[in-house]
Amino acid sequence: MQSVDRAIAILYLLAERGREGVGVTEVATELGVHKSTAFRLIEALENGDLVEQLEERGKYHLGRGIVRLAGATTAQLELPIESRPVCRRLAAELGETVNLAIADSGEATNILQEYGSSAITGRNWIGRPTPLHATASGKVLLAWADPDEAAEVLAAELAGYTELTITDPAVLQAELAKIREQGWAATSEEFEVGLNAIAAPIRGATGDVVAAVGVSAPSYRLPVDSFADVAERLIAGADEISSRLGYYGAAE
């Protein structure tokens, strides 16, 4: 714990000094430790891209890893704000419920919901955890998840919610590959009988998928043969949200 506290102190010191940077000797003095101890701490932070030395034997500055972490945090904070107008417009255009979901402890959690104009609307999904393998948004988040996290989900027992839920890991893996290729996911009565859904990925400033925007509706209003057309509109909306979060690159 002492090493962690010291490492944190170094990061705050570098943030305070900004462009000026800080040398090893100064870090050691500030922390009240031997120079070799300060060097080992800086080296560990450097290996994690949190600290970098801009010139040989020069002073140390905050590294690019800090920017990536800050970008991810900013994206999470800005996500609902930047997504709301787009989700609201999609709900109006499609006439159906539109949700925004993020990955949360091995599940997909909806953090935003906008209702369409249809008389029969879906339930309130905000804050409710849903399975990654049986929902459209969950499949999007799983398809672009960290490989280790995805492997953990595939290794666990996949619960069957309806007769159409994919519970075979090999079949799910093939489905995830298809989702990455086409750029969107769908479920046809896989989580609830009579409920269909489509979702597309939202990317943060670094290009990582940080959320999924999805539409859900009764299967008779959102039939399978409409999936591709609706997906195009969702992808356009997802791309707009991604650009609002600072992402301007081409999707992987």
Side-chain angles (χ1 to χ4, degrees):
M1 284 300 296
Q2 190 177 44
S3 294
V4 173
D5 289 340
R6 286 170 174 171
I8 292 172
I10 292 173
L11 293 176
Y12 275 106
L13 177 61
L14 294 180
E16 183 183 323
R17 297 301 171 85
R19 293 183 180 180
E20 179 186 342
V22 181
V24 175
T25 301
E26 189 174 357
V27 170
T29 301
E30 287 285 338
L31 297 183
V33 298
H34 193 275
K35 188 175 177 179
S36 61
T37 301
F39 179 77
R40 284 197 300 272
L41 290 167
I42 291 172
E43 187 177 40
L45 292 169
E46 192 174 17
N47 290 337
D49 284 335
L50 300 178
V51 164
E52 62 183 5
Q53 195 174 26
L54 298 184
E55 56 213 36
E56 188 176 356
R57 294 186 180 179
K59 294 186 176 182
Y60 290 89
H61 304 258
L62 291 176
R64 286 166 290 182
I66 291 290
V67 176
R68 289 195 293 273
L69 292 174
T73 301
T74 302
Q76 290 293 338
L77 294 174
E78 294 180 349
L79 188 54
I81 297 172
E82 298 297 344
S83 300
R84 187 176 296 280
V86 180
C87 290
R88 186 170 292 163
R89 189 186 69 235
L90 285 171
E93 290 176 357
L94 298 171
E96 304 293 355
T97 301
V98 172
N99 289 291
L100 184 75
I102 60 171
D104 182 22
S105 302
E107 294 176 299
T109 299
N110 291 288
I111 61 172
L112 177 66
Q113 180 165 299
E114 294 293 338
Y115 292 103
S117 58
S118 299
I120 301 175
T121 58
R123 72 184 67 174
N124 187 345
W125 293 97
I126 293 180
R128 179 182 173 186
T130 56
L132 293 174
H133 71 286
T135 59
S137 293
K139 286 183 182 180
V140 164
L141 297 170
L142 188 57
W144 280 280
D146 176 86
D148 291 337
E149 294 176 6
E152 189 175 336
V153 173
L154 290 165
E157 182 178 355
L158 300 174
Y161 296 90
T162 73
E163 292 182 355
L164 297 176
T165 306
I166 298 175
T167 56
D168 184 329
V171 175
L172 180 57
Q173 211 158 20
E175 173 91 349
L176 297 177
K178 177 184 175 183
I179 290 166
R180 287 190 291 270
E181 181 179 350
Q182 68 186 13
W184 56 276
T187 52
S188 178
E189 303 189 68
E190 294 175 41
F191 186 44
E192 287 188 3
V193 174
L195 181 68
N196 287 356
I198 307 166
I202 294 171
R203 296 174 183 272
T206 60
D208 294 329
V209 171
V210 296
V213 59
V215 60
S216 59
S219 55
Y220 66 87
R221 285 207 313 256
L222 188 62
V224 174
D225 60 11
S226 72
F227 282 3
D229 289 337
V230 175
E232 277 189 32
R233 298 167 82 170
L234 277 178
I235 290 171
D239 288 346
E240 182 179 345
I241 295 171
S242 297
S243 68
R244 285 169 169 258
L245 295 175
Y247 177 69
Y248 301 102
E252 297 173 1

